[in-house]
Coordinates of all heavy atoms in Angstrom, one line a residue:
M283 N -38.9 -156.7 31.8 CA -39.4 -158.1 31.6 C -39.8 -158.7 32.9 O -39.2 -158.5 33.9 CB -38.2 -159.0 30.9 CG -37.8 -158.5 29.6 SD -36.6 -159.6 28.9 CE -37.6 -160.7 27.9
N284 N -40.8 -159.5 32.8 CA -41.4 -160.1 34.0 C -40.9 -161.5 34.1 O -40.3 -162.1 33.1 CB -42.8 -160.0 34.1 CG -43.6 -160.7 33.0 OD1 -42.9 -161.3 32.2 ND2 -44.8 -160.3 32.8
A285 N -41.2 -162.2 35.2 CA -40.6 -163.5 35.4 C -41.3 -164.6 34.5 O -40.6 -165.6 34.1 CB -40.9 -163.9 36.9
K286 N -42.5 -164.3 34.1 CA -43.1 -165.3 33.2 C -42.5 -165.3 31.8 O -42.3 -166.4 31.2 CB -44.6 -164.9 33.0 CG -45.5 -165.3 34.2 CD -46.9 -165.0 33.8 CE -47.9 -165.3 35.0 NZ -49.2 -165.1 34.7
V287 N -42.1 -164.2 31.3 CA -41.5 -164.1 30.1 C -40.1 -164.8 30.0 O -39.7 -165.5 29.2 CB -41.5 -162.7 29.5 CG1 -40.6 -162.5 28.2 CG2 -42.8 -162.1 29.3
I288 N -39.4 -164.4 31.1 CA -38.0 -165.0 31.3 C -38.0 -166.5 31.4 O -37.2 -167.2 30.8 CB -37.3 -164.3 32.4 CG1 -37.0 -162.9 32.1 CG2 -36.0 -165.0 32.8 CD1 -36.5 -162.0 33.3
S289 N -38.9 -167.0 32.2 CA -39.0 -168.4 32.3 C -39.5 -169.1 31.1 O -39.1 -170.2 30.8 CB -40.0 -168.8 33.5 OG -41.2 -168.3 33.3
A290 N -40.3 -168.5 30.3 CA -40.7 -169.0 29.0 C -39.6 -169.1 28.0 O -39.4 -170.0 27.4 CB -42.0 -168.3 28.5
W291 N -38.8 -168.1 28.1 CA -37.6 -168.0 27.2 C -36.6 -169.2 27.6 O -36.1 -169.8 26.8 CB -36.9 -166.7 27.3 CG -37.4 -165.8 26.3 CD1 -38.3 -164.8 26.4 CD2 -37.1 -165.7 24.9 NE1 -38.6 -164.1 25.2 CE2 -37.8 -164.7 24.2 CE3 -36.2 -166.4 24.1 CZ2 -37.7 -164.3 22.9 CZ3 -36.1 -166.0 22.7 CH2 -36.8 -165.0 22.1
V292 N -36.4 -169.3 28.9 CA -35.5 -170.4 29.4 C -36.0 -171.8 29.0 O -35.3 -172.6 28.5 CB -35.3 -170.2 31.0 CG1 -34.6 -171.5 31.5 CG2 -34.6 -169.0 31.3
A293 N -37.3 -171.9 29.2 CA -37.9 -173.3 28.8 C -37.7 -173.5 27.3 O -37.5 -174.6 26.8 CB -39.3 -173.3 29.3
G294 N -38.0 -172.5 26.6 CA -38.0 -172.6 25.1 C -36.5 -172.9 24.6 O -36.3 -173.7 23.8
V295 N -35.6 -172.3 25.2 CA -34.1 -172.5 24.9 C -33.8 -174.0 25.2 O -33.1 -174.7 24.5 CB -33.2 -171.5 25.5 CG1 -31.8 -172.0 25.4 CG2 -33.4 -170.2 24.9
L296 N -34.2 -174.5 26.3 CA -33.9 -175.8 26.8 C -34.6 -176.8 25.7 O -34.0 -177.9 25.4 CB -34.4 -176.0 28.2 CG -33.7 -175.4 29.3 CD1 -34.3 -175.6 30.7 CD2 -32.2 -175.9 29.3
I297 N -35.8 -176.6 25.4 CA -36.5 -177.5 24.4 C -35.7 -177.4 23.1 O -35.6 -178.5 22.4 CB -38.0 -177.0 24.3 CG1 -38.7 -177.4 25.6 CG2 -38.7 -177.7 23.1 CD1 -40.1 -177.0 25.7
L298 N -35.3 -176.2 22.7 CA -34.5 -176.1 21.4 C -33.2 -176.9 21.5 O -32.7 -177.5 20.5 CB -34.2 -174.7 21.1 CG -35.5 -173.9 20.7 CD1 -35.1 -172.4 20.3 CD2 -36.2 -174.5 19.4
A299 N -32.6 -176.9 22.7 CA -31.4 -177.8 22.9 C -31.7 -179.2 22.7 O -30.9 -179.9 22.2 CB -30.8 -177.4 24.3
L300 N -32.9 -179.6 23.2 CA -33.3 -181.0 23.1 C -33.6 -181.4 21.6 O -33.3 -182.4 21.1 CB -34.5 -181.3 23.9 CG -34.3 -181.4 25.4 CD1 -35.6 -181.5 26.2 CD2 -33.3 -182.5 25.7
Y301 N -34.0 -180.4 20.8 CA -34.2 -180.7 19.3 C -32.9 -180.8 18.7 O -32.7 -181.8 17.9 CB -34.9 -179.4 18.7 CG -36.4 -179.5 18.6 CD1 -37.2 -178.6 19.5 CD2 -37.1 -180.3 17.8 CE1 -38.5 -178.7 19.4 CE2 -38.5 -180.3 17.7 CZ -39.2 -179.5 18.6 OH -40.6 -179.6 18.5
A302 N -31.9 -180.0 19.1 CA -30.6 -180.1 18.5 C -30.0 -181.5 18.9 O -29.3 -182.1 18.1 CB -29.7 -179.0 19.0
Y303 N -30.3 -181.9 20.1 CA -29.7 -183.2 20.6 C -30.3 -184.4 19.7 O -29.7 -185.3 19.3 CB -30.0 -183.5 22.0 CG -29.6 -184.9 22.4 CD1 -28.3 -185.2 22.7 CD2 -30.6 -185.9 22.7 CE1 -27.9 -186.5 23.1 CE2 -30.2 -187.1 23.0 CZ -28.9 -187.5 23.3 OH -28.6 -188.7 23.6
A304 N -31.7 -184.2 19.4 CA -32.3 -185.3 18.5 C -31.8 -185.3 17.2 O -31.6 -186.4 16.6 CB -33.8 -184.9 18.5
V305 N -31.4 -184.2 16.6 CA -30.7 -184.2 15.3 C -29.4 -184.8 15.4 O -29.0 -185.7 14.5 CB -30.6 -182.8 14.7 CG1 -29.8 -182.7 13.4 CG2 -32.0 -182.1 14.4
V306 N -28.6 -184.5 16.4 CA -27.2 -185.1 16.6 C -27.3 -186.5 16.8 O -26.5 -187.4 16.2 CB -26.5 -184.4 17.6 CG1 -25.2 -185.0 18.1 CG2 -26.2 -182.9 17.3
A307 N -28.3 -187.0 17.6 CA -28.4 -188.4 17.8 C -28.8 -189.2 16.6 O -28.3 -190.3 16.3 CB -29.5 -188.7 18.9
A308 N -29.7 -188.6 15.7 CA -30.1 -189.2 14.5 C -28.9 -189.3 13.5 O -28.7 -190.3 12.8 CB -31.2 -188.4 13.8
V309 N -28.0 -188.2 13.5 CA -26.9 -188.3 12.6 C -25.9 -189.4 13.1 O -25.4 -190.2 12.4 CB -26.2 -186.9 12.5 CG1 -24.9 -187.0 11.8 CG2 -27.1 -186.0 11.8
G310 N -25.8 -189.5 14.5 CA -25.0 -190.5 15.1 C -25.5 -191.9 14.7 O -24.7 -192.8 14.5
N311 N -26.8 -192.0 14.7 CA -27.4 -193.4 14.4 C -27.1 -193.7 12.9 O -26.8 -194.8 12.6 CB -28.9 -193.4 14.6 CG -29.2 -193.5 16.0 OD1 -28.4 -194.0 16.9 ND2 -30.4 -193.0 16.4
L312 N -27.2 -192.7 12.1 CA -26.9 -193.0 10.6 C -25.4 -193.3 10.5 O -25.2 -194.3 9.7 CB -27.2 -191.7 9.9 CG -26.7 -191.7 8.3 CD1 -27.8 -192.6 7.7 CD2 -26.9 -190.4 7.7
I313 N -24.5 -192.6 11.1 CA -23.1 -193.0 10.9 C -22.8 -194.3 11.6 O -22.0 -195.1 11.0 CB -22.2 -191.9 11.6 CG1 -22.4 -190.6 10.8 CG2 -20.8 -192.3 11.7 CD1 -21.8 -189.4 11.4
G314 N -23.4 -194.6 12.7 CA -23.1 -195.9 13.3 C -23.7 -197.1 12.6 O -23.0 -198.1 12.5
M315 N -24.8 -196.9 12.1 CA -25.5 -198.0 11.3 C -24.7 -198.2 10.0 O -24.5 -199.3 9.6 CB -26.9 -197.7 10.9 CG -27.8 -197.7 12.1 SD -28.1 -199.4 12.6 CE -29.4 -199.2 13.9
S316 N -24.2 -197.1 9.4 CA -23.5 -197.3 8.2 C -22.1 -197.9 8.4 O -21.6 -198.6 7.5 CB -23.4 -196.0 7.3 OG -22.6 -195.0 8.1
T317 N -21.5 -197.6 9.5 CA -20.2 -198.2 9.8 C -20.3 -199.6 10.0 O -19.5 -200.5 9.5 CB -19.6 -197.5 11.1 OG1 -19.5 -196.1 10.8 CG2 -18.3 -198.0 11.4
F318 N -21.3 -200.1 10.9 CA -21.4 -201.5 11.2 C -22.2 -202.3 10.3 O -22.0 -203.5 10.2 CB -22.0 -201.6 12.7 CG -21.0 -201.1 13.7 CD1 -21.4 -199.9 14.4 CD2 -19.8 -201.6 14.0 CE1 -20.6 -199.3 15.3 CE2 -18.9 -201.0 14.9 CZ -19.3 -199.9 15.6
L319 N -23.1 -201.8 9.6 CA -24.0 -202.6 8.8 C -24.1 -202.1 7.4 O -25.1 -202.4 6.6 CB -25.4 -202.6 9.4 CG -25.6 -203.1 10.8 CD1 -27.1 -202.9 11.2 CD2 -25.3 -204.6 10.8
G320 N -23.2 -201.3 6.9 CA -23.2 -200.5 5.6 C -23.8 -201.4 4.4 O -24.7 -201.0 3.9
E321 N -23.2 -202.5 4.1 CA -23.6 -203.2 2.9 C -24.9 -204.0 3.2 O -25.6 -204.3 2.3 CB -22.5 -204.2 2.5 CG -21.2 -203.5 2.1 CD -21.3 -202.9 0.7 OE1 -22.1 -203.4 -0.1 OE2 -20.7 -201.8 0.5
A322 N -25.2 -204.4 4.4 CA -26.3 -205.1 4.8 C -27.6 -204.4 4.8 O -28.7 -204.9 4.7 CB -26.1 -205.7 6.1
L323 N -27.5 -203.0 4.9 CA -28.7 -202.2 4.9 C -29.3 -202.0 3.4 O -28.6 -201.8 2.5 CB -28.5 -200.8 5.4 CG -28.2 -200.8 6.9 CD1 -27.8 -199.3 7.3 CD2 -29.2 -201.2 7.7
G324 N -30.6 -202.3 3.3 CA -31.4 -202.0 2.2 C -31.8 -200.6 2.0 O -31.5 -199.7 2.8
P325 N -32.5 -200.3 0.9 CA -33.0 -198.9 0.7 C -34.0 -198.3 1.8 O -34.0 -197.2 2.1 CB -33.7 -198.9 -0.7 CG -33.9 -200.3 -0.9 CD -32.9 -201.1 -0.2
L326 N -34.9 -199.3 2.3 CA -35.8 -198.8 3.3 C -35.1 -198.3 4.7 O -35.5 -197.3 5.1 CB -36.8 -199.9 3.6 CG -37.9 -199.5 4.7 CD1 -38.7 -198.3 4.2 CD2 -38.8 -200.7 5.0
P327 N -34.1 -199.1 5.2 CA -33.5 -198.6 6.4 C -32.7 -197.3 6.1 O -32.7 -196.4 7.1 CB -32.5 -199.7 6.8 CG -33.1 -200.9 6.2 CD -33.8 -200.5 5.0
W328 N -32.1 -197.1 5.0 CA -31.5 -195.8 4.7 C -32.5 -194.7 4.7 O -32.3 -193.5 5.1 CB -30.8 -195.9 3.3 CG -29.5 -196.6 3.4 CD1 -29.3 -197.9 2.9 CD2 -28.2 -196.3 4.1 NE1 -28.0 -198.3 3.2 CE2 -27.4 -197.3 3.9 CE3 -27.9 -195.1 4.8 CZ2 -26.1 -197.4 4.5 CZ3 -26.6 -195.2 5.4 CH2 -25.7 -196.2 5.1
A329 N -33.6 -194.9 4.1 CA -34.8 -193.9 4.0 C -35.2 -193.6 5.4 O -35.5 -192.4 5.7 CB -35.9 -194.3 3.1
L330 N -35.3 -194.6 6.2 CA -35.9 -194.4 7.6 C -34.8 -193.6 8.4 O -35.2 -192.7 9.2 CB -36.1 -195.7 8.2 CG -37.3 -196.4 7.8 CD1 -37.5 -197.8 8.5 CD2 -38.6 -195.7 8.1
L331 N -33.6 -193.9 8.2 CA -32.6 -193.1 8.9 C -32.5 -191.6 8.4 O -32.3 -190.7 9.2 CB -31.1 -193.7 8.7 CG -30.9 -195.0 9.5 CD1 -29.6 -195.7 9.0 CD2 -30.9 -194.8 10.9
G332 N -32.8 -191.4 7.2 CA -33.0 -190.0 6.7 C -34.2 -189.3 7.3 O -34.2 -188.2 7.7
V333 N -35.3 -190.1 7.4 CA -36.4 -189.5 8.0 C -36.2 -189.1 9.5 O -36.7 -188.1 10.0 CB -37.6 -190.5 7.9 CG1 -38.8 -190.1 8.8 CG2 -38.1 -190.6 6.5
A334 N -35.4 -189.9 10.2 CA -35.1 -189.7 11.6 C -34.3 -188.4 11.8 O -34.4 -187.7 12.8 CB -34.3 -190.9 12.2
I335 N -33.5 -188.1 10.7 CA -32.7 -186.9 10.8 C -33.6 -185.7 10.5 O -33.5 -184.6 11.2 CB -31.6 -186.9 9.8 CG1 -30.5 -187.9 10.2 CG2 -30.9 -185.5 9.6 CD1 -29.4 -188.2 9.2
F336 N -34.5 -185.7 9.6 CA -35.3 -184.6 9.1 C -36.6 -184.5 10.0 O -37.3 -183.5 9.9 CB -35.7 -184.7 7.7 CG -34.4 -184.4 6.9 CD1 -33.9 -185.4 6.1 CD2 -33.8 -183.2 6.8 CE1 -32.8 -185.2 5.4 CE2 -32.7 -183.0 6.1 CZ -32.2 -184.0 5.4
A337 N -36.9 -185.4 10.8 CA -38.2 -185.4 11.6 C -38.1 -184.2 12.7 O -39.0 -183.4 12.8 CB -38.5 -186.7 12.3
P338 N -36.9 -184.0 13.4 CA -36.9 -182.9 14.3 C -36.9 -181.5 13.6 O -37.5 -180.6 14.2 CB -35.6 -183.1 15.1 CG -35.0 -184.4 14.7 CD -35.8 -184.9 13.6
I339 N -36.2 -181.5 12.5 CA -36.3 -180.2 11.8 C -37.7 -179.9 11.3 O -38.1 -178.7 11.4 CB -35.2 -180.4 10.6 CG1 -33.8 -180.6 11.1 CG2 -35.3 -179.1 9.6 CD1 -32.9 -181.0 10.0
G340 N -38.4 -180.9 10.7 CA -39.7 -180.6 10.3 C -40.7 -180.3 11.4 O -41.6 -179.4 11.3
A341 N -40.5 -181.0 12.6 CA -41.3 -180.7 13.8 C -41.2 -179.3 14.3 O -42.1 -178.6 14.7 CB -41.0 -181.8 14.8
I342 N -39.9 -178.9 14.4 CA -39.6 -177.5 14.9 C -40.2 -176.5 14.0 O -40.8 -175.5 14.5 CB -38.2 -177.3 15.2 CG1 -38.0 -176.1 16.2 CG2 -37.3 -177.2 14.0 CD1 -36.7 -176.0 16.7
I343 N -40.0 -176.7 12.7 CA -40.6 -175.6 11.8 C -42.1 -175.6 11.8 O -42.7 -174.6 11.9 CB -40.0 -175.9 10.3 CG1 -38.6 -175.7 10.2 CG2 -40.9 -175.2 9.3 CD1 -38.0 -176.2 8.9
T344 N -42.7 -176.8 11.9 CA -44.2 -176.9 12.0 C -44.7 -176.2 13.3 O -45.6 -175.5 13.3 CB -44.7 -178.3 11.9 OG1 -44.2 -178.9 10.7 CG2 -46.1 -178.4 12.0
S345 N -43.9 -176.5 14.3 CA -44.3 -176.0 15.7 C -44.2 -174.4 15.7 O -45.1 -173.8 16.3 CB -43.4 -176.6 16.8 OG -43.6 -178.0 16.9
L346 N -43.2 -174.0 15.1 CA -43.0 -172.5 15.1 C -44.0 -171.8 14.2 O -44.5 -170.7 14.5 CB -41.5 -172.2 14.7 CG -40.5 -172.5 15.7 CD1 -39.0 -172.2 15.2 CD2 -40.7 -171.7 17.0
I347 N -44.4 -172.4 13.1 CA -45.4 -171.9 12.3 C -46.8 -171.9 12.9 O -47.5 -170.9 12.9 CB -45.5 -172.6 10.9 CG1 -44.3 -172.3 10.1 CG2 -46.7 -172.3 10.1 CD1 -44.1 -173.1 8.8
V348 N -47.1 -173.0 13.5 CA -48.4 -173.1 14.3 C -48.5 -172.1 15.5 O -49.5 -171.5 15.8 CB -48.7 -174.5 14.7 CG1 -49.9 -174.6 15.7 CG2 -48.8 -175.4 13.6
A349 N -47.3 -171.9 16.1 CA -47.2 -171.1 17.3 C -47.1 -169.6 17.1 O -47.1 -168.8 17.9 CB -46.0 -171.5 18.2
R350 N -47.0 -169.2 15.8 CA -46.9 -167.8 15.5 C -48.0 -167.0 16.0 O -49.2 -167.4 15.8 CB -46.8 -167.6 14.0 CG -46.3 -166.3 13.5 CD -46.1 -166.2 12.1 NE -46.7 -167.4 11.4 CZ -47.0 -167.3 10.1 NH1 -46.8 -166.3 9.3 NH2 -47.5 -168.4 9.5
G351 N -47.8 -165.9 16.7 CA -48.8 -165.1 17.1 C -49.5 -165.5 18.4 O -50.5 -164.9 18.8
R352 N -49.0 -166.5 19.0 CA -49.6 -167.0 20.4 C -48.7 -166.5 21.5 O -47.6 -165.9 21.3 CB -49.7 -168.5 20.4 CG -50.5 -169.1 19.2 CD -51.0 -170.4 19.5 NE -51.7 -171.3 18.6 CZ -52.5 -170.9 17.6 NH1 -52.8 -169.8 17.3 NH2 -53.0 -171.8 16.9
T353 N -49.2 -166.7 22.8 CA -48.4 -166.3 23.9 C -47.2 -167.1 24.1 O -47.0 -168.2 23.4 CB -49.2 -166.4 25.1 OG1 -49.7 -167.7 25.4 CG2 -50.5 -165.5 25.0
A354 N -46.3 -166.7 24.9 CA -45.0 -167.4 25.1 C -45.2 -168.8 25.6 O -44.5 -169.7 25.1 CB -44.1 -166.6 26.0
W355 N -46.0 -169.0 26.5 CA -46.1 -170.4 27.1 C -46.9 -171.4 26.1 O -46.6 -172.6 26.1 CB -46.9 -170.5 28.5 CG -45.8 -170.1 29.5 CD1 -45.7 -168.9 30.2 CD2 -44.8 -171.0 30.0 NE1 -44.6 -169.0 31.0 CE2 -44.0 -170.2 30.9 CE3 -44.4 -172.2 29.6 CZ2 -42.9 -170.7 31.6 CZ3 -43.2 -172.8 30.3 CH2 -42.5 -172.1 31.2
V356 N -47.8 -170.8 25.2 CA -48.4 -171.7 24.3 C -47.3 -172.1 23.2 O -47.3 -173.2 22.8 CB -49.6 -170.9 23.6 CG1 -50.1 -171.7 22.4 CG2 -50.6 -170.7 24.6
R357 N -46.4 -171.2 22.9 CA -45.3 -171.5 22.0 C -44.4 -172.6 22.6 O -44.0 -173.6 21.9 CB -44.4 -170.3 21.7 CG -45.1 -169.3 20.8 CD -44.1 -168.3 20.5 NE -44.9 -167.1 20.0 CZ -44.5 -165.8 20.4 NH1 -43.6 -165.6 21.2 NH2 -45.3 -164.8 19.9
V358 N -44.1 -172.5 23.9 CA -43.3 -173.5 24.5 C -44.1 -174.9 24.6 O -43.4 -176.0 24.3 CB -43.0 -173.1 26.0 CG1 -42.4 -174.2 26.8 CG2 -42.0 -171.8 25.9
L359 N -45.4 -174.9 24.8 CA -46.1 -176.1 24.8 C -46.1 -176.8 23.4 O -46.0 -177.9 23.2 CB -47.5 -175.9 25.4 CG -47.6 -175.6 26.9 CD1 -49.0 -175.3 27.3 CD2 -47.0 -176.9 27.7
L360 N -46.3 -175.9 22.3 CA -46.3 -176.4 21.0 C -44.9 -177.0 20.7 O -44.8 -178.0 20.0 CB -46.8 -175.3 20.1 CG -48.2 -175.1 20.0 CD1 -48.6 -173.8 19.3 CD2 -49.0 -176.2 19.5
L361 N -43.8 -176.3 21.1 CA -42.5 -176.8 20.8 C -42.2 -178.2 21.5 O -41.6 -179.1 21.0 CB -41.4 -175.8 21.3 CG -41.2 -174.6 20.4 CD1 -40.4 -173.6 21.0 CD2 -40.6 -175.0 19.0
A362 N -42.8 -178.3 22.8 CA -42.7 -179.6 23.5 C -43.5 -180.6 22.8 O -43.1 -181.8 22.8 CB -43.1 -179.4 24.9
T363 N -44.6 -180.2 22.3 CA -45.4 -181.3 21.6 C -44.7 -181.9 20.4 O -44.7 -183.0 20.1 CB -46.8 -180.7 21.3 OG1 -47.5 -180.2 22.4 CG2 -47.7 -181.7 20.5
G364 N -44.1 -180.9 19.7 CA -43.3 -181.3 18.5 C -42.1 -182.2 18.9 O -41.8 -183.2 18.2
L365 N -41.5 -181.9 20.0 CA -40.4 -182.8 20.5 C -40.9 -184.1 20.9 O -40.2 -185.1 20.6 CB -39.7 -182.1 21.7 CG -38.4 -182.7 22.2 CD1 -37.3 -182.6 21.2 CD2 -38.0 -182.0 23.5
C366 N -42.1 -184.2 21.5 CA -42.6 -185.6 21.8 C -42.9 -186.3 20.5 O -42.7 -187.5 20.5 CB -43.9 -185.3 22.6 SG -43.5 -184.8 24.3
V367 N -43.5 -185.7 19.5 CA -43.7 -186.3 18.2 C -42.4 -186.8 17.7 O -42.3 -188.0 17.1 CB -44.5 -185.4 17.3 CG1 -44.6 -186.0 15.9 CG2 -46.0 -185.2 17.9
T368 N -41.4 -186.0 17.7 CA -40.1 -186.3 17.2 C -39.5 -187.6 17.8 O -39.0 -188.5 17.3 CB -39.2 -185.2 17.2 OG1 -39.6 -184.1 16.5 CG2 -37.7 -185.5 16.8
A369 N -39.6 -187.6 19.2 CA -39.1 -188.7 20.0 C -39.9 -189.9 19.6 O -39.2 -191.1 19.5 CB -39.2 -188.4 21.5
A370 N -41.2 -189.9 19.5 CA -42.0 -191.1 19.1 C -41.6 -191.6 17.7 O -41.4 -192.8 17.5 CB -43.5 -190.7 19.1
V371 N -41.3 -190.7 16.8 CA -40.9 -191.1 15.4 C -39.6 -191.8 15.4 O -39.4 -192.8 14.9 CB -41.0 -189.9 14.4 CG1 -40.3 -190.2 13.1 CG2 -42.4 -189.5 14.2
Q372 N -38.7 -191.2 16.1 CA -37.3 -191.7 16.2 C -37.3 -193.1 16.9 O -36.6 -194.0 16.5 CB -36.4 -190.8 16.8 CG -36.0 -189.5 16.0 CD -34.9 -188.7 16.5 OE1 -34.7 -188.6 17.7 NE2 -34.3 -187.9 15.6
L373 N -38.0 -193.2 17.9 CA -38.1 -194.5 18.7 C -38.7 -195.6 17.8 O -38.3 -196.7 17.8 CB -38.9 -194.4 20.0 CG -38.2 -193.7 21.2 CD1 -39.1 -193.5 22.2 CD2 -37.1 -194.6 21.6
E374 N -39.7 -195.2 17.0 CA -40.4 -196.2 16.2 C -39.4 -196.6 15.0 O -39.3 -197.7 14.6 CB -41.6 -195.7 15.6 CG -42.4 -196.6 14.7 CD -42.9 -197.8 15.5 OE1 -43.2 -197.6 16.7 OE2 -43.0 -198.9 14.9
I375 N -38.6 -195.7 14.5 CA -37.7 -196.0 13.5 C -36.6 -196.9 14.0 O -36.2 -197.9 13.4 CB -37.1 -194.7 12.9 CG1 -38.1 -194.0 12.0 CG2 -35.8 -195.0 12.0 CD1 -37.7 -192.6 11.5
M376 N -36.1 -196.6 15.2 CA -35.1 -197.5 15.9 C -35.7 -198.9 16.1 O -35.0 -199.9 16.0 CB -34.5 -196.9 17.0 CG -33.6 -195.8 16.8 SD -32.2 -196.2 15.8 CE -32.5 -195.4 14.3
H377 N -37.0 -198.9 16.5 CA -37.6 -200.2 16.7 C -37.7 -201.0 15.4 O -37.5 -202.2 15.3 CB -39.0 -200.1 17.2 CG -39.8 -201.2 17.4 ND1 -39.6 -202.2 18.3 CD2 -40.9 -201.7 16.7 CE1 -40.4 -203.2 18.2 NE2 -41.2 -202.9 17.2
L378 N -38.1 -200.3 14.3 CA -38.1 -201.0 13.0 C -36.8 -201.4 12.5 O -36.7 -202.4 11.7 CB -38.8 -200.0 11.9 CG -40.2 -199.8 12.2 CD1 -40.7 -198.6 11.1 CD2 -41.1 -201.0 11.9
M379 N -35.7 -200.7 12.8 CA -34.4 -201.0 12.4 C -33.8 -202.3 13.1 O -33.0 -203.0 12.5 CB -33.4 -199.9 12.6 CG -33.8 -198.6 11.8 SD -33.3 -198.8 10.1 CE -31.5 -198.9 10.2
S380 N -34.3 -202.5 14.3 CA -33.6 -203.6 15.1 C -34.3 -204.9 14.8 O -35.3 -205.1 14.2 CB -33.6 -203.3 16.5 OG -35.0 -203.1 17.0

C-alpha cells in the first residue's frame, strides 16, 4: 500500500467518525428537547428532530452510492460534502427550533 491510499483511509475513517458524532448529537437533541419541552412541542418540531437524526444516515448512504467506482480521494471528498450538507441541515433545524 502506498501513502496516498493509507492517508485516504485515515481521512475517510475520521469523516465517518464525524458522521457518527452527528447522529449521536441529533439523538441527544431529541432526548434533551423531549425532556425539557416534551408537552410544549408540536408535531412539526418532532418531525424536524427526526429529520435531524436521519439526515446524516441518508447523506452517508447517498455519498457512498455516488462515490462507488471512483478513486479514494474522490470518495473522501464526496463523504466530506455529505457531512457539510448534514451539518447545514442540522444547524437549520436547530435554528428553526429556537
Side-chain angles (χ1 to χ4, degrees):
M283 294 183 97
N284 59 16
K286 284 184 177 183
V287 174
I288 292 172
S289 61
W291 273 96
V292 169
V295 168
L296 290 175
I297 290 173
L298 291 178
L300 290 172
Y301 272 108
Y303 176 76
V305 172
V306 169
V309 170
N311 287 335
L312 175 70
I313 292 170
M315 292 285 188
S316 67
T317 301
F318 294 111
L319 301 173
E321 297 288 326
L323 291 177
L326 180 63
W328 285 109
L330 289 174
L331 288 170
V333 168
I335 292 173
F336 291 109
I339 298 167
I342 194 169
I343 290 171
T344 303
S345 297
L346 290 175
I347 289 172
V348 170
R350 191 174 18 156
R352 301 204 190 325
T353 63
W355 277 107
V356 172
R357 287 186 201 137
V358 169
L359 289 174
L360 286 169
L361 284 171
T363 303
L365 187 63
C366 291
V367 169
T368 297
V371 166
Q372 287 184 337
L373 282 172
E374 185 63 30
I375 288 171
M376 287 299 110
H377 174 72
L378 289 172
M379 295 286 294
S380 60

